[in-house]
Amino acid sequence: MRTDDDSWDITESVGATAIGVAAMRAYETRRADALFSDPYAEKLVEAVGSENWTAMLRGTREDLREQGGSFIQGVMGYFLIARTLYFDKYFADAMDVGVRQFVILASGLDARAYRMQWPSGSVVFELDQPKVLEFKAKALAQDTPAADRREVPIDLRQDWPKALLDKGFDPAEPTAWLAEGLLRYLPGDAQDRLLDHVAELSAPGSRMALNIGPGERALSDDFRKRRAEALAKNGIRVDLEQLWYPWEGRTDPRTWFAMRGWLVREGDPVALLQDRGRTVLGAALPDMSTHILMTAIRPRGDDTL
Ligand SMILES: C[S@@+](CC[C@H](N)C(=O)[O-])C[C@H]1O[C@@H](n2cnc3c(N)ncnc32)[C@H](O)[C@@H]1O
């Protein structure tokens, strides 16, 4: 059960969802036809020291892999691959137009600060719960980030702008913000505050990318039950239904940014995969289209998407 001031480490509650998505990135990276490479994902998941999560990334347990009940080949798996591609390109495009300040809200086990080719002078701020950042720093202690990576340990329902400014964030500089796999873990009012803060701290030319959606609403109870059983049998307890706050009644970020004069554009997760030759299996298709991938740009005057 969530509360307004709950906290977690990497193995608990919302923290464990960061392991799940990293395991799927590791699984994709191991494929012969991988659509991206995240060489840090496997290391991060293995550092958790859980045989169950390691089995998931290796794909060695049939019931976790199988189409129908699976994390990996169900909607979460496909969507995760699509969103990794989408947000990688988002950051690369921002670099191309000269943005050098990047903020990853709820960075979890995101290794972009290590694995992307950042132009010199790039600063990447990573915000997440203190224990999650501690875990990652320890697991990657031998690795060197490819940008000036700055940790901001904070709960995103608290006064994170102050913590970010204290670490040297410059609100006069254009920023590329990312909220990947975050918004459904925030109550609707905390999401509103987060978007307000992003807008307040965004100089012209700043941009924001995020994903959100009703998610798995279209999945049958039977599907969810089978998947929960497959995970539980493998000692993995991640109950998204219990961790997410409701979709209904929440501000739609697309409208929110558009109303403030930002240029809003959406990505199509199914097309992102199909254009690269990855077939999305039937059971996952209906729900894929309910996921939103969005980029919004605060124009400088001559900006287009
Ligand atoms: C599904 S994971 C996504 C992590 C990362 N963005 C990725 O896609 O790999 C969700 C992350 O959100 C973080 N998170 C959720 N609510 C948060 C909050 N109120 N404050 C700080 N971090 C939060 C969790 O700690 C976790 O790392």
Side-chain angles (χ1 to χ4, degrees), residues 2 6 8 10 14-15 17-19 21-22 25 80 83 104-110 112 127-129 132 154-157 178-182 185-186:
R2 301 292 312 273
D6 52 352
W8 47 84
I10 192 71
V14 189
T17 67
I19 311 175
V21 292
R25 286 193 290 266
L80 196 278
R83 85 185 200 202
I104 306 181
L105 299 162
S107 53
L109 304 183
D110 179 330
R112 288 191 176 88
L127 285 72
D128 208 302
Q129 288 262 347
V132 172
I154 187 88
D155 188 305
L156 290 161
R157 295 161 295 188
L178 174 61
E180 177 179 15
L182 167 64
Y185 299 109
L186 297 177

Short mmCIF file of all heavy atoms in Angstrom, two decimals, residues 2 6 8 10 14-15 17-19 21-22 25 80 83 104-110 112 127-129 132 154-157 178-182 185-186, ligand 1:
data_model
loop_
_atom_site.label_atom_id
_atom_site.label_comp_id
_atom_site.label_asym_id
_atom_site.label_seq_id
_atom_site.Cartn_x
_atom_site.Cartn_y
_atom_site.Cartn_z
N ARG A 2 0.58 2.21 -0.91
CA ARG A 2 1.37 3.43 -0.97
C ARG A 2 0.90 4.44 0.07
O ARG A 2 -0.27 4.50 0.41
CB ARG A 2 1.23 4.06 -2.37
CG ARG A 2 1.66 3.20 -3.54
CD ARG A 2 3.15 2.97 -3.57
NE ARG A 2 3.95 4.18 -3.40
CZ ARG A 2 4.32 5.00 -4.38
NH1 ARG A 2 3.97 4.74 -5.62
NH2 ARG A 2 5.06 6.08 -4.14
N ASP A 6 6.06 7.48 1.55
CA ASP A 6 6.77 6.19 1.57
C ASP A 6 8.14 6.34 0.89
O ASP A 6 8.35 7.20 0.06
CB ASP A 6 5.94 5.06 0.94
CG ASP A 6 5.40 5.37 -0.46
OD1 ASP A 6 5.52 6.52 -0.90
OD2 ASP A 6 4.88 4.46 -1.10
N TRP A 8 11.86 3.81 -0.26
CA TRP A 8 12.22 2.43 -0.61
C TRP A 8 13.69 2.35 -0.99
O TRP A 8 14.31 3.35 -1.34
CB TRP A 8 11.36 1.95 -1.79
CG TRP A 8 11.29 2.94 -2.91
CD1 TRP A 8 12.19 3.11 -3.92
CD2 TRP A 8 10.27 3.94 -3.12
NE1 TRP A 8 11.79 4.13 -4.75
CE2 TRP A 8 10.62 4.66 -4.28
CE3 TRP A 8 9.10 4.30 -2.44
CZ2 TRP A 8 9.85 5.72 -4.79
CZ3 TRP A 8 8.33 5.35 -2.95
CH2 TRP A 8 8.70 6.04 -4.10
N ILE A 10 16.33 -0.31 -3.47
CA ILE A 10 16.16 -0.86 -4.81
C ILE A 10 15.34 -2.16 -4.83
O ILE A 10 14.71 -2.49 -5.83
CB ILE A 10 17.57 -1.07 -5.48
CG1 ILE A 10 17.45 -1.36 -6.97
CG2 ILE A 10 18.35 -2.17 -4.78
CD1 ILE A 10 17.03 -0.20 -7.79
N VAL A 14 8.40 0.52 -5.07
CA VAL A 14 8.64 1.15 -6.37
C VAL A 14 10.09 0.95 -6.82
O VAL A 14 10.38 0.91 -8.02
CB VAL A 14 8.31 2.66 -6.31
CG1 VAL A 14 8.35 3.27 -7.69
CG2 VAL A 14 6.93 2.89 -5.69
N GLY A 15 10.99 0.80 -5.86
CA GLY A 15 12.40 0.59 -6.21
C GLY A 15 12.59 -0.64 -7.09
O GLY A 15 13.36 -0.63 -8.05
N THR A 17 10.75 -1.86 -9.27
CA THR A 17 10.34 -1.69 -10.68
C THR A 17 11.53 -1.26 -11.53
O THR A 17 11.59 -1.53 -12.72
CB THR A 17 9.20 -0.66 -10.83
OG1 THR A 17 9.69 0.65 -10.50
CG2 THR A 17 8.00 -0.99 -9.95
N ALA A 18 12.48 -0.57 -10.88
CA ALA A 18 13.69 -0.15 -11.61
C ALA A 18 14.52 -1.37 -11.99
O ALA A 18 15.17 -1.38 -13.04
CB ALA A 18 14.51 0.84 -10.78
N ILE A 19 14.49 -2.40 -11.15
CA ILE A 19 15.22 -3.63 -11.50
C ILE A 19 14.52 -4.30 -12.68
O ILE A 19 15.16 -4.78 -13.61
CB ILE A 19 15.27 -4.65 -10.33
CG1 ILE A 19 15.71 -3.99 -9.03
CG2 ILE A 19 16.19 -5.80 -10.68
CD1 ILE A 19 15.65 -4.94 -7.83
N VAL A 21 12.74 -3.06 -15.14
CA VAL A 21 12.99 -2.47 -16.47
C VAL A 21 14.45 -2.64 -16.88
O VAL A 21 14.75 -2.85 -18.06
CB VAL A 21 12.51 -0.99 -16.56
CG1 VAL A 21 11.00 -0.91 -16.49
CG2 VAL A 21 13.14 -0.11 -15.51
N ALA A 22 15.36 -2.60 -15.91
CA ALA A 22 16.77 -2.83 -16.26
C ALA A 22 16.97 -4.28 -16.72
O ALA A 22 17.74 -4.54 -17.65
CB ALA A 22 17.67 -2.51 -15.07
N ARG A 25 16.02 -4.43 -20.25
CA ARG A 25 17.06 -3.83 -21.12
C ARG A 25 18.24 -4.80 -21.28
O ARG A 25 18.82 -4.91 -22.36
CB ARG A 25 17.54 -2.49 -20.55
CG ARG A 25 16.54 -1.36 -20.73
CD ARG A 25 17.16 0.00 -20.45
NE ARG A 25 17.47 0.21 -19.05
CZ ARG A 25 16.66 0.81 -18.17
NH1 ARG A 25 15.49 1.26 -18.55
NH2 ARG A 25 17.03 0.98 -16.92
N LEU A 80 8.82 -1.29 -23.15
CA LEU A 80 10.10 -0.88 -22.59
C LEU A 80 11.16 -0.72 -23.69
O LEU A 80 11.93 0.25 -23.67
CB LEU A 80 10.51 -1.94 -21.57
CG LEU A 80 11.60 -1.65 -20.56
CD1 LEU A 80 12.98 -1.85 -21.14
CD2 LEU A 80 11.48 -0.25 -19.97
N ARG A 83 10.32 2.42 -25.68
CA ARG A 83 10.57 3.70 -25.01
C ARG A 83 12.06 3.95 -24.86
O ARG A 83 12.52 5.10 -24.91
CB ARG A 83 9.80 3.78 -23.69
CG ARG A 83 10.46 3.17 -22.50
CD ARG A 83 9.56 3.22 -21.27
NE ARG A 83 10.34 3.08 -20.06
CZ ARG A 83 9.85 2.67 -18.91
NH1 ARG A 83 8.58 2.35 -18.78
NH2 ARG A 83 10.63 2.59 -17.85
N ILE A 104 17.37 13.74 -15.51
CA ILE A 104 16.63 12.48 -15.54
C ILE A 104 15.88 12.36 -14.21
O ILE A 104 16.49 12.16 -13.16
CB ILE A 104 17.57 11.27 -15.75
CG1 ILE A 104 18.42 11.49 -17.01
CG2 ILE A 104 16.75 9.99 -15.87
CD1 ILE A 104 19.38 10.35 -17.34
N LEU A 105 14.57 12.55 -14.31
CA LEU A 105 13.72 12.47 -13.12
C LEU A 105 13.40 11.00 -12.88
O LEU A 105 12.94 10.32 -13.79
CB LEU A 105 12.42 13.26 -13.35
CG LEU A 105 12.61 14.76 -13.64
CD1 LEU A 105 11.35 15.35 -14.28
CD2 LEU A 105 12.96 15.51 -12.37
N ALA A 106 13.65 10.50 -11.67
CA ALA A 106 13.45 9.06 -11.39
C ALA A 106 14.37 8.21 -12.26
O ALA A 106 13.92 7.41 -13.06
CB ALA A 106 11.99 8.66 -11.58
N SER A 107 15.66 8.40 -12.08
CA SER A 107 16.63 7.76 -12.97
C SER A 107 16.75 6.26 -12.73
O SER A 107 17.15 5.53 -13.64
CB SER A 107 18.00 8.42 -12.81
OG SER A 107 18.37 8.45 -11.46
N GLY A 108 16.42 5.78 -11.53
CA GLY A 108 16.48 4.33 -11.29
C GLY A 108 17.82 3.75 -11.74
O GLY A 108 18.89 4.27 -11.41
N LEU A 109 17.76 2.71 -12.56
CA LEU A 109 18.98 2.07 -13.06
C LEU A 109 19.27 2.48 -14.50
O LEU A 109 19.94 1.75 -15.24
CB LEU A 109 18.89 0.55 -12.89
CG LEU A 109 18.61 0.09 -11.45
CD1 LEU A 109 18.59 -1.43 -11.35
CD2 LEU A 109 19.64 0.68 -10.48
N ASP A 110 18.77 3.64 -14.89
CA ASP A 110 19.06 4.21 -16.21
C ASP A 110 20.57 4.47 -16.28
O ASP A 110 21.14 5.15 -15.43
CB ASP A 110 18.28 5.53 -16.33
CG ASP A 110 18.51 6.25 -17.66
OD1 ASP A 110 19.61 6.11 -18.24
OD2 ASP A 110 17.60 6.96 -18.10
N ARG A 112 22.13 5.87 -18.98
CA ARG A 112 22.44 6.74 -20.13
C ARG A 112 23.66 7.63 -19.85
O ARG A 112 24.43 7.93 -20.76
CB ARG A 112 21.23 7.61 -20.50
CG ARG A 112 20.10 6.80 -21.15
CD ARG A 112 19.03 7.70 -21.75
NE ARG A 112 18.03 6.92 -22.45
CZ ARG A 112 16.93 6.41 -21.87
NH1 ARG A 112 16.67 6.63 -20.59
NH2 ARG A 112 16.08 5.71 -22.58
N LEU A 127 17.88 12.26 -10.57
CA LEU A 127 17.09 12.38 -9.34
C LEU A 127 16.39 11.06 -9.06
O LEU A 127 15.77 10.47 -9.96
CB LEU A 127 16.04 13.48 -9.48
CG LEU A 127 16.52 14.92 -9.40
CD1 LEU A 127 17.28 15.32 -10.65
CD2 LEU A 127 15.35 15.88 -9.19
N ASP A 128 16.49 10.60 -7.84
CA ASP A 128 15.74 9.41 -7.41
C ASP A 128 15.84 9.35 -5.90
O ASP A 128 16.50 10.19 -5.27
CB ASP A 128 16.30 8.12 -8.06
CG ASP A 128 15.21 7.04 -8.22
OD1 ASP A 128 14.61 6.66 -7.19
OD2 ASP A 128 14.96 6.59 -9.35
N GLN A 129 15.18 8.37 -5.34
CA GLN A 129 15.24 8.16 -3.89
C GLN A 129 16.70 7.91 -3.48
O GLN A 129 17.44 7.23 -4.22
CB GLN A 129 14.41 6.94 -3.52
CG GLN A 129 12.91 7.18 -3.63
CD GLN A 129 12.29 7.49 -2.28
OE1 GLN A 129 12.91 7.31 -1.24
NE2 GLN A 129 11.06 7.97 -2.31
N VAL A 132 18.15 4.33 -3.77
CA VAL A 132 18.25 3.84 -5.15
C VAL A 132 19.54 4.37 -5.78
O VAL A 132 20.31 3.63 -6.40
CB VAL A 132 17.00 4.25 -5.97
CG1 VAL A 132 17.18 3.92 -7.45
CG2 VAL A 132 15.75 3.58 -5.40
N ILE A 154 16.59 12.58 -3.73
CA ILE A 154 15.40 13.33 -3.25
C ILE A 154 14.14 12.56 -3.63
O ILE A 154 14.12 11.84 -4.62
CB ILE A 154 15.37 14.76 -3.88
CG1 ILE A 154 14.26 15.65 -3.29
CG2 ILE A 154 15.21 14.72 -5.38
CD1 ILE A 154 14.63 16.42 -2.08
N ASP A 155 13.11 12.77 -2.85
CA ASP A 155 11.80 12.26 -3.21
C ASP A 155 11.14 13.30 -4.13
O ASP A 155 11.10 14.49 -3.79
CB ASP A 155 10.96 12.06 -1.94
CG ASP A 155 9.67 11.34 -2.25
OD1 ASP A 155 8.91 11.83 -3.12
OD2 ASP A 155 9.41 10.30 -1.65
N LEU A 156 10.63 12.86 -5.25
CA LEU A 156 10.07 13.80 -6.23
C LEU A 156 8.71 14.36 -5.83
O LEU A 156 8.12 15.15 -6.56
CB LEU A 156 10.00 13.14 -7.61
CG LEU A 156 11.39 12.91 -8.23
CD1 LEU A 156 11.33 11.86 -9.34
CD2 LEU A 156 11.97 14.22 -8.76
N ARG A 157 8.22 13.96 -4.66
CA ARG A 157 7.02 14.62 -4.12
C ARG A 157 7.44 15.75 -3.18
O ARG A 157 6.60 16.45 -2.65
CB ARG A 157 6.16 13.59 -3.37
CG ARG A 157 5.58 12.51 -4.27
CD ARG A 157 5.14 11.30 -3.50
NE ARG A 157 6.27 10.63 -2.88
CZ ARG A 157 6.22 9.44 -2.25
NH1 ARG A 157 5.07 8.80 -2.17
NH2 ARG A 157 7.30 8.90 -1.70
N LEU A 178 13.74 14.39 -18.66
CA LEU A 178 13.17 13.07 -18.98
C LEU A 178 12.44 12.52 -17.75
O LEU A 178 13.00 12.51 -16.65
CB LEU A 178 14.30 12.09 -19.37
CG LEU A 178 13.87 10.64 -19.60
CD1 LEU A 178 12.85 10.51 -20.72
CD2 LEU A 178 15.09 9.76 -19.90
N ALA A 179 11.21 12.09 -17.97
CA ALA A 179 10.47 11.36 -16.92
C ALA A 179 10.04 10.03 -17.54
O ALA A 179 8.96 9.92 -18.14
CB ALA A 179 9.26 12.16 -16.46
N GLU A 180 10.90 9.05 -17.43
CA GLU A 180 10.65 7.73 -18.03
C GLU A 180 10.20 6.77 -16.93
O GLU A 180 10.91 6.56 -15.95
CB GLU A 180 11.94 7.19 -18.68
CG GLU A 180 11.78 5.80 -19.25
CD GLU A 180 13.05 5.27 -19.90
OE1 GLU A 180 14.13 5.84 -19.69
OE2 GLU A 180 12.94 4.26 -20.63
N GLY A 181 9.01 6.21 -17.12
CA GLY A 181 8.52 5.24 -16.14
C GLY A 181 8.29 5.84 -14.77
O GLY A 181 8.51 5.19 -13.76
N LEU A 182 7.88 7.10 -14.73
CA LEU A 182 7.70 7.77 -13.43
C LEU A 182 6.25 8.12 -13.10
O LEU A 182 5.79 7.87 -11.99
CB LEU A 182 8.54 9.06 -13.39
CG LEU A 182 8.20 10.02 -12.23
CD1 LEU A 182 8.51 9.39 -10.88
CD2 LEU A 182 8.93 11.35 -12.37
N TYR A 185 3.65 6.48 -10.81
CA TYR A 185 4.03 6.24 -9.40
C TYR A 185 3.80 7.47 -8.54
O TYR A 185 4.05 7.44 -7.34
CB TYR A 185 5.50 5.80 -9.31
CG TYR A 185 5.75 4.51 -10.06
CD1 TYR A 185 6.48 4.49 -11.23
CD2 TYR A 185 5.21 3.32 -9.60
CE1 TYR A 185 6.68 3.32 -11.93
CE2 TYR A 185 5.40 2.14 -10.30
CZ TYR A 185 6.13 2.14 -11.47
OH TYR A 185 6.32 0.98 -12.16
N LEU A 186 3.36 8.55 -9.17
CA LEU A 186 3.04 9.77 -8.43
C LEU A 186 1.53 9.95 -8.38
O LEU A 186 0.86 9.72 -9.39
CB LEU A 186 3.64 11.00 -9.13
CG LEU A 186 5.16 11.08 -9.26
CD1 LEU A 186 5.54 12.33 -10.06
CD2 LEU A 186 5.83 11.10 -7.89
C1 LIG B 1 9.98 1.97 -13.32
S1 LIG B 1 11.37 2.69 -12.54
C2 LIG B 1 12.02 3.65 -13.89
C3 LIG B 1 13.47 3.98 -13.70
C4 LIG B 1 14.13 4.61 -14.93
N1 LIG B 1 13.54 5.86 -15.28
C5 LIG B 1 14.08 3.64 -16.09
O1 LIG B 1 13.20 3.81 -16.95
O2 LIG B 1 14.88 2.72 -16.11
C6 LIG B 1 10.61 3.90 -11.49
C7 LIG B 1 11.63 4.77 -10.77
O3 LIG B 1 10.94 5.88 -10.25
C8 LIG B 1 11.49 6.20 -9.01
N2 LIG B 1 10.48 6.97 -8.29
C9 LIG B 1 9.15 6.77 -8.28
N3 LIG B 1 8.54 7.66 -7.47
C10 LIG B 1 9.53 8.45 -6.98
C11 LIG B 1 9.54 9.54 -6.07
N4 LIG B 1 8.41 9.99 -5.48
N5 LIG B 1 10.71 10.11 -5.78
C12 LIG B 1 11.87 9.66 -6.34
N6 LIG B 1 11.92 8.63 -7.20
C13 LIG B 1 10.76 8.03 -7.51
C14 LIG B 1 11.78 4.83 -8.40
O4 LIG B 1 12.69 4.89 -7.31
C15 LIG B 1 12.31 4.08 -9.59
O5 LIG B 1 13.71 4.21 -9.71
#
